Amino acid sequence: MTDDIRLCRTFQTAPAAVPKDDSAKYLTSGLEADGFQAPDWLVPDLEDGTAPDMKAEGLENTIEKVPEYEFPGEIWPRVEWSYEDETYREKGRNQIDRLVSEIGDEIDGVVVPKVGRLEDVKHAAEAVAEAESEHGYADGSIGLSIIIETGRARSDLREIARFGEDSRLTALVFGPVDYAAELGGRDLGDGMPRWDGLLEALSNEASAGGLLSIGGPFDDLFKERAGLTYYNADEYADQVEHEARLGLDGSWSLYPKQTIQANTVHMPTPDELERDVSKIERFNEAKREGTGAVTLDGQMVDEATFKNFRNTVQQVRAIHDTRPEQAEEYYDGDLLERALELELSYR
Amino acid sequence: MTDDIRLCRTFQTAPAAVPKDDSAKYLTSGLEADGFQAPDWLVPDLEDGTAPDMKAEGLENTIEKVPEYEFPGEIWPRVEWSYEDETYREKGRNQIDRLVSEIGDEIDGVVVPKVGRLEDVKHAAEAVAEAESEHGYADGSIGLSIIIETGRARSDLREIARFGEDSRLTALVFGPVDYAAELGGRDLGDGMPRWDGLLEALSNEASAGGLLSIGGPFDDLFKERAGLTYYNADEYADQVEHEARLGLDGSWSLYPKQTIQANTVHMPTPDELERDVSKIERFNEAKREGTGAVTLDGQMVDEATFKNFRNTVQQVRAIHDTRPEQAEEYYDGDLLERALELELSYR
Amino acid sequence: MTDDIRLCRTFQTAPAAVPKDDSAKYLTSGLEADGFQAPDWLVPDLEDGTAPDMKAEGLENTIEKVPEYEFPGEIWPRVEWSYEDETYREKGRNQIDRLVSEIGDEIDGVVVPKVGRLEDVKHAAEAVAEAESEHGYADGSIGLSIIIETGRARSDLREIARFGEDSRLTALVFGPVDYAAELGGRDLGDGMPRWDGLLEALSNEASAGGLLSIGGPFDDLFKERAGLTYYNADEYADQVEHEARLGLDGSWSLYPKQTIQANTVHMPTPDELERDVSKIERFNEAKREGTGAVTLDGQMVDEATFKNFRNTVQQVRAIHDTRPEQAEEYYDGDLLERALELELSYR
């Protein structure tokens, strides 16, 4: 994390069109969501979430609905693409062009799935650059996020993230279903692997390249036990907490209840905030008294330790900027005020 | 996995010569094995499995015995080599030359152990190319598989696999004993590490480079408890299942019972096959009815999900091609027939 | 590990100056430590362990105290540095220059923290080269070890280790606190992640580049339970054993009791030594009898297996060279003698 936190606790995909009377039902409910159900990023999904014969309608829904709402988070439509199939890349380029042309002011970028090696990621970046320039947008104003879901993209992850340092690349998102299919991973009764090596590398390379890292979708939305079918809150929370521990910036959500959970886990707890605000307050006071080294609870506070405290406060400030109602609901008013007013420099 | 599955559920090494009356005993029993004891790849071992003073005899055994059998799987002799010792590379080159010269039509390739960095792998590939050309074989007709068992090969794994994309390189096989010795890994009472980072990378890089990935040998063949010595089936199965989950294509076998287990684990279970055949059948039917999006059991079938079903069926078809008796023993006749006749294209 | 073992079971940092009557208290107690409390490497810490207003005094303490003792291990002062802040690099260069100028004969190298990508590591190496040349030391006589604690250094780990093959680079040391802060890792109640992917890569790349690999500090020195505060021996031992299993050469110590534990874990147990000495003795005897293949307890001894036995004996010999009292206390006299006299060549 850098000083300037870009928030993406939740990367919520919503099918851009579904075979219902209101084909934009899930898209509009994402745009309208409030409280903790409101995602940081809403991803109108023109790829695997929308059926082949509804793609065109999904694109029109996106173009029509997104401008109707003042969505406080970011909007990132997912288009079609495939490193191994030019047909899909052509579709993707056309979708990007339409989106930038029609709602370039309303979207923060596009999400490109199934990228392959670095060269393919560069092709995706060029497709965005062309649409941008064609429709009169400033260079870099339309971002690019990619789904890491092929062996080749994982193989080139370091190079892709380095390319990201000076490019429109914004987030690296994990896509476990395609990934497992490519590698031939198998569920022998206790689920697919978590791909811990990949997750750790994703967190590291995103951090080294100044990018965001986001976990993959969890689609066992419901569980059935003793005759009752109920929302599978525990397993999703386990996954999101695992991602948070490893330093991923956010988690993928497929469903409003998942958004509540991912928003909450990727938010410092009130105890964490109280602890770190109070440490910084005491640190600042000791600094003012000029004793040189600052010791708190018997431990000397060095810059590394201080950075950990500061991360907590900066994350809360970024949430308060975008979703003030979440911050206000979650934290005591006094504590939140202290977090917003704190001086955050180490020296 | 690609559309064209190359089968290596089992990589069974057999010492090419042992100090017994019949020094080719283990080699011939590998060549003669049938049913589930028959490995996909048989590896006559001229390296660590054969004693230094029996190497010459092992080479003669291999040259003599292999042509005597119509082995339905692949034959891959393992020769000597070492990235850090020219003596061993020289021995390896001579063994490769003899094998290609004498039984070039009978072998699918050679296995080269203890390779170092990419350059060393290229030297091994050149040794094969020279023998091939010297004895009049078409370029690429003799394959190369390597054992990843040094820090340097692991360090260069990505580059080695990329080299493999357009070369005779066929499989990347893990060698944990040498590897642990190089790194100084220690068994402090609960065994050596599993090297999960390496296994995940092996699966990924092999997939990205279109190669096979194979796990390492498990040599605690027997266990002793309550006065009885018995085959250690549980621990080997645990290892093989772990490898299968991560998408490795096969496992190393040292022993016929291990071959039974590895062949079985790397084969879809009857339930998996029934499930995936039936999903594809229903998918195909829905496609014919032209409803556009196909939803099965409440889930829309996208291309990624479909690929997972197809992997299952293709693996069974490949097994049926090479080892029909295994497929016929393991699956119900009707189910197998359905798997063999299914239309497998998504679009 | 190579034939020539460089010992660093313990990398013990000691603040170079603390706000006590005797500001060099911890430094001198490290220099004076004996028995199992004596670390292999003593690291006078001018970076995060010493308060900003005591850095100058810490440097003087180091220059004054180190030459007063005949420390049998290695001395590696840690200086200041930061890939993202030239101020710190400038401080680091000055500290390196002073150290080499004043006690260049007494130190084995310097430890540079918070390095970034390969280029930054090269800058650190140049700073050492300049001080060396400026003060008349032979090229390469002052080593460099680095702390891997940024996303960028982790990203470039392979390239850094390859640079290390032909340079003054000696050890790669993990720094988890800064690392977690950079990645945004979080403790959600059960501690920070162990970063297993990083540890495995550290062990591998160090091995491939002929470098040492050292784990990170563990700072929960004490535990409180049922009214009693006591040294947290169990959790530190768990961490050190985990590092040893993965082939790390040593562990970071912050405290004499940690040094006892890390010295002990990174030392073969008497049982391991007895087992491996006896295997080599029997191997040597069988070789003399000229039976060709040597089989011990039913297993043929190949070169890989032999290397594992030899690692054990070489580690004990290196310990006996530097800290004879530790070897003599830990092993039975006869066993130690056998270990010291053994012929260790495979062929």
Side-chain angles (χ1 to χ4, degrees):
Chain A
M1 297 190 180
T2 67
D3 291 347
D4 202 22
I5 283 191
R6 184 160 190 172
L7 209 59
C8 182
R9 291 169 298 164
T10 37
F11 176 95
Q12 183 182 316
T13 48
V18 287
K20 294 188 186 281
D21 290 345
D22 172 11
S23 78
K25 179 178 161 50
Y26 295 129
L27 176 58
T28 52
S29 86
L31 288 161
E32 283 166 358
D34 56 14
F36 272 91
Q37 290 197 357
D40 288 339
W41 286 26
L42 181 66
V43 181
D45 189 6
L46 298 165
E47 203 222 5
D48 289 347
T50 290
D53 63 342
M54 302 200 76
K55 304 276 188 203
E57 188 169 345
L59 183 57
E60 299 316 315
N61 284 346
T62 305
I63 289 168
E64 180 189 333
K65 296 297 177 190
V66 166
E68 286 178 13
Y69 296 85
E70 286 288 339
F71 187 76
E74 303 194 15
I75 301 281
W76 286 81
R78 177 162 77 159
V79 301
E80 293 180 272
W81 195 268
S82 167
Y83 77 94
E84 54 185 352
D85 190 336
E86 169 56 21
T87 322
Y88 284 94
R89 288 196 298 277
E90 190 55 32
K91 288 182 193 185
R93 277 190 293 263
N94 291 335
Q95 290 158 348
I96 292 171
D97 185 74
R98 270 303 302 285
L99 288 164
V100 174
S101 154
E102 303 275 352
I103 55 170
D105 285 327
E106 320 280 337
I107 63 175
D108 296 274
V110 294
V111 176
V112 173
K114 295 193 184 71
V115 292
R117 294 208 178 266
L118 173 60
E119 279 313 302
D120 189 52
V121 175
K122 288 184 177 172
H123 293 324
E126 281 156 22
V128 179
E130 275 168 34
E132 217 177 42
S133 136
E134 174 78 16
H135 302 293
Y137 287 93
D139 181 42
S141 52
I142 310 287
L144 169 67
S145 291
I146 55 176
I147 317 276
I148 303 291
E149 57 188 334
T150 68
R152 284 161 204 238
R154 167 69 185 94
S155 179
D156 279 15
L157 183 58
R158 172 174 178 264
E159 287 64 29
I160 290 170
R162 291 207 68 167
F163 164 68
E165 285 182 45
D166 305 305
S167 78
R168 66 186 70 246
L169 197 56
T170 307
L172 306 173
V173 186
F174 180 40
V177 180
D178 272 275
Y179 187 70
E182 276 229 345
L183 266 62
R186 281 173 69 202
D187 177 354
L188 297 173
D190 47 2
M192 281 287 179
R194 284 196 309 198
W195 309 109
D196 279 341
L198 182 149
L199 291 175
E200 196 180 319
L202 199 73
S203 180
N204 188 85
E205 295 306 333
S207 167
L211 308 173
L212 292 168
S213 53
I214 313 293
F218 176 83
D219 60 9
D220 286 341
L221 287 176
F222 299 96
K223 243 173 135 164
E224 194 270 318
R225 194 165 172 196
L228 187 71
T229 295
Y230 54 100
Y231 174 66
N232 191 353
D234 267 356
E235 282 183 64
Y236 182 67
D238 286 347
Q239 177 179 314
V240 172
E241 287 183 2
H242 181 62
E243 291 163 358
R245 295 183 72 230
L246 291 174
L248 270 69
D249 299 284
S251 296
W252 190 314
S253 163
L254 293 168
Y255 189 68
K257 285 185 180 167
Q258 289 191 339
T259 301
I260 295 175
Q261 293 190 292
N263 274 337
T264 305
V265 170
H266 289 290
M267 196 165 176
T269 64
D271 283 352
E272 281 179 287
L273 185 60
E274 170 61 44
R275 183 194 64 199
D276 291 353
V277 163
S278 129
K279 292 216 172 186
I280 296 180
E281 286 170 346
R282 290 155 61 201
F283 177 86
N284 287 348
E285 194 180 325
K287 248 191 351 185
R288 272 194 300 276
E289 290 168 1
T291 58
V294 177
T295 304
L296 297 178
D297 309 327
Q299 284 201 309
M300 206 196 64
V301 177
D302 59 32
E303 196 154 0
T305 320
F306 187 82
K307 256 192 226 167
N308 277 322
F309 306 153
R310 191 171 48 194
N311 276 347
T312 304
V313 175
Q314 284 176 323
Q315 178 80 352
V316 170
R317 288 185 181 182
I319 294 165
H320 185 262
D321 281 351
T322 325
R323 298 287 185 188
E325 75 285 8
Q326 292 182 12
E328 282 153 20
E329 182 184 332
Y330 200 55
Y331 304 114
D332 170 84
D334 281 354
L335 174 59
L336 182 58
E337 189 125 332
R338 286 157 61 204
L340 298 177
E341 286 173 0
L342 215 46
E343 161 63 42
L344 291 186
S345 98
Y346 177 70
R347 270 168 256 163
Chain B
M1 293 186 183
T2 65
D3 290 348
D4 202 24
I5 284 191
R6 183 159 189 171
L7 210 59
C8 182
R9 292 169 298 163
T10 38
F11 176 97
Q12 183 182 315
T13 49
V18 287
K20 296 189 184 279
D21 289 347
D22 172 10
S23 78
K25 177 177 161 52
Y26 294 128
L27 177 57
T28 51
S29 84
L31 288 161
E32 283 166 357
D34 56 16
F36 273 91
Q37 291 198 356
D40 288 338
W41 286 27
L42 182 66
V43 180
D45 189 6
L46 298 164
E47 203 222 5
D48 289 347
T50 291
D53 62 342
M54 302 198 75
K55 304 277 188 203
E57 189 169 342
L59 183 58
E60 299 316 314
N61 284 346
T62 305
I63 288 167
E64 182 188 331
K65 297 297 177 191
V66 167
E68 286 178 12
Y69 296 84
E70 287 287 341
F71 187 77
E74 304 194 15
I75 300 280
W76 285 82
R78 177 162 76 159
V79 301
E80 293 179 273
W81 195 269
S82 166
Y83 77 93
E84 53 185 352
D85 190 336
E86 169 57 22
T87 323
Y88 283 95
R89 288 195 297 276
E90 190 56 33
K91 288 182 193 184
R93 278 188 293 263
N94 291 336
Q95 289 159 349
I96 292 170
D97 185 75
R98 272 300 304 286
L99 288 165
V100 175
S101 153
E102 303 276 352
I103 55 171
D105 285 327
E106 320 280 336
I107 64 176
D108 297 274
V110 294
V111 177
V112 173
K114 296 192 183 72
V115 292
R117 294 206 178 268
L118 173 60
E119 279 313 302
D120 190 52
V121 175
K122 288 183 176 172
H123 292 324
E126 281 156 22
V128 179
E130 274 168 34
E132 217 178 42
S133 133
E134 174 78 18
H135 302 293
Y137 286 93
D139 181 40
S141 53
I142 310 287
L144 168 68
S145 291
I146 55 175
I147 318 276
I148 304 291
E149 57 187 336
T150 69
R152 284 160 204 240
R154 167 69 184 94
S155 179
D156 279 14
L157 182 57
R158 172 175 177 265
E159 286 66 28
I160 290 169
R162 290 207 69 167
F163 164 70
E165 285 180 45
D166 305 303
S167 77
R168 69 185 69 244
L169 196 57
T170 307
L172 306 173
V173 187
F174 181 40
V177 180
D178 271 274
Y179 187 69
E182 276 228 347
L183 266 60
R186 282 172 70 200
D187 177 355
L188 297 172
D190 45 3
M192 281 288 180
R194 284 194 310 196
W195 310 108
D196 278 340
L198 182 148
L199 291 175
E200 196 180 319
L202 199 73
S203 180
N204 188 85
E205 296 305 333
S207 166
L211 308 173
L212 293 168
S213 53
I214 313 293
F218 176 82
D219 60 9
D220 287 342
L221 286 176
F222 299 97
K223 242 172 135 166
E224 193 269 319
R225 192 163 173 198
L228 186 72
T229 296
Y230 55 101
Y231 174 64
N232 192 353
D234 267 355
E235 284 184 61
Y236 182 66
D238 286 345
Q239 176 178 312
V240 172
E241 288 184 1
H242 181 62
E243 291 163 359
R245 294 182 74 232
L246 291 174
L248 270 68
D249 300 283
S251 296
W252 190 315
S253 163
L254 294 167
Y255 189 69
K257 284 186 179 165
Q258 289 192 339
T259 300
I260 295 175
Q261 292 190 292
N263 274 337
T264 305
V265 170
H266 290 290
M267 194 166 177
T269 63
D271 283 351
E272 283 180 286
L273 185 60
E274 169 62 44
R275 183 196 63 199
D276 291 354
V277 162
S278 129
K279 292 217 171 187
I280 295 180
E281 286 168 346
R282 289 155 62 201
F283 177 86
N284 288 347
E285 195 180 325
K287 248 191 351 185
R288 271 193 301 276
E289 292 168 3
T291 59
V294 177
T295 304
L296 297 179
D297 308 326
Q299 284 200 309
M300 205 195 65
V301 177
D302 59 31
E303 194 152 2
T305 319
F306 187 84
K307 257 192 224 168
N308 277 322
F309 307 154
R310 189 171 50 193
N311 276 346
T312 304
V313 175
Q314 284 177 323
Q315 179 78 351
V316 169
R317 289 184 181 181
I319 295 166
H320 185 260
D321 281 351
T322 326
R323 298 288 185 188
E325 75 284 11
Q326 291 182 14
E328 282 153 20
E329 181 183 333
Y330 199 54
Y331 303 113
D332 170 85
D334 280 353
L335 175 59
L336 183 58
E337 188 125 332
R338 285 157 63 204
L340 298 177
E341 287 173 1
L342 214 45
E343 162 63 40
L344 291 187
S345 97
Y346 177 69
R347 271 169 261 168
Chain C
M1 294 187 181
T2 65
D3 290 347
D4 202 23
I5 284 192
R6 183 159 191 172
L7 209 61
C8 181
R9 292 170 296 164
T10 38
F11 177 96
Q12 183 182 315
T13 49
V18 287
K20 294 188 183 281
D21 289 347
D22 173 10
S23 77
K25 180 178 158 55
Y26 295 130
L27 177 56
T28 52
S29 86
L31 288 162
E32 282 166 356
D34 56 16
F36 272 91
Q37 291 197 356
D40 288 339
W41 286 26
L42 182 65
V43 180
D45 189 5
L46 297 165
E47 203 224 6
D48 289 347
T50 291
D53 63 340
M54 303 200 74
K55 304 276 189 203
E57 189 169 343
L59 183 58
E60 299 316 314
N61 283 346
T62 305
I63 289 168
E64 182 188 331
K65 296 298 177 191
V66 166
E68 285 178 12
Y69 296 83
E70 287 288 343
F71 187 77
E74 304 195 15
I75 302 281
W76 285 81
R78 177 163 76 158
V79 300
E80 293 179 272
W81 195 269
S82 167
Y83 77 92
E84 53 185 352
D85 191 337
E86 169 58 21
T87 323
Y88 284 94
R89 290 197 295 277
E90 189 57 32
K91 288 182 192 184
R93 279 189 291 264
N94 291 335
Q95 289 159 349
I96 292 169
D97 185 75
R98 271 303 302 286
L99 289 163
V100 174
S101 155
E102 303 275 353
I103 55 171
D105 285 329
E106 320 281 336
I107 63 175
D108 297 273
V110 293
V111 177
V112 172
K114 296 190 184 71
V115 291
R117 295 207 177 267
L118 173 60
E119 280 311 302
D120 190 52
V121 174
K122 287 184 177 171
H123 293 322
E126 281 156 22
V128 178
E130 275 168 33
E132 215 178 46
S133 134
E134 174 78 17
H135 303 293
Y137 287 93
D139 181 42
S141 52
I142 310 287
L144 169 67
S145 291
I146 56 175
I147 318 276
I148 303 291
E149 56 188 336
T150 69
R152 285 160 203 239
R154 168 68 185 95
S155 179
D156 280 15
L157 184 58
R158 171 174 178 265
E159 287 66 28
I160 290 169
R162 290 207 69 165
F163 164 71
E165 285 181 45
D166 306 303
S167 77
R168 67 187 69 244
L169 197 57
T170 308
L172 305 173
V173 186
F174 181 40
V177 181
D178 271 275
Y179 186 69
E182 276 228 348
L183 267 61
R186 282 172 69 201
D187 177 354
L188 297 173
D190 47 1
M192 281 287 180
R194 285 195 310 198
W195 309 108
D196 278 340
L198 183 149
L199 290 175
E200 196 179 320
L202 198 73
S203 180
N204 188 85
E205 296 305 331
S207 167
L211 308 174
L212 292 168
S213 54
I214 312 293
F218 176 82
D219 59 9
D220 287 340
L221 287 176
F222 299 97
K223 241 172 136 163
E224 195 269 319
R225 193 167 172 193
L228 187 72
T229 297
Y230 55 100
Y231 174 65
N232 191 354
D234 268 354
E235 283 183 62
Y236 182 67
D238 286 346
Q239 176 179 313
V240 172
E241 287 183 2
H242 181 62
E243 291 163 357
R245 295 182 72 232
L246 290 174
L248 271 68
D249 301 283
S251 296
W252 191 314
S253 163
L254 294 167
Y255 189 69
K257 284 184 180 166
Q258 288 191 339
T259 301
I260 294 176
Q261 292 189 291
N263 274 338
T264 306
V265 170
H266 290 290
M267 196 166 176
T269 63
D271 282 353
E272 282 180 286
L273 185 60
E274 170 61 45
R275 182 196 62 197
D276 291 352
V277 162
S278 130
K279 292 219 170 181
I280 296 180
E281 286 169 347
R282 290 154 62 202
F283 178 87
N284 288 346
E285 195 179 325
K287 249 190 352 183
R288 271 192 302 277
E289 290 168 3
T291 59
V294 177
T295 303
L296 297 179
D297 309 326
Q299 285 200 307
M300 205 196 65
V301 178
D302 60 32
E303 195 152 4
T305 319
F306 187 83
K307 259 193 224 167
N308 277 322
F309 307 154
R310 190 170 51 191
N311 276 346
T312 304
V313 175
Q314 285 177 323
Q315 177 80 349
V316 169
R317 288 182 181 183
I319 295 165
H320 185 261
D321 281 351
T322 325
R323 300 285 186 188
E325 75 284 9
Q326 291 181 14
E328 282 153 19
E329 182 184 330
Y330 199 57
Y331 303 114
D332 169 86
D334 280 355
L335 173 59
L336 183 58
E337 189 123 333
R338 285 157 62 205
L340 298 176
E341 287 174 359
L342 216 44
E343 162 62 40
L344 292 186
S345 97
Y346 178 70
R347 271 167 257 167

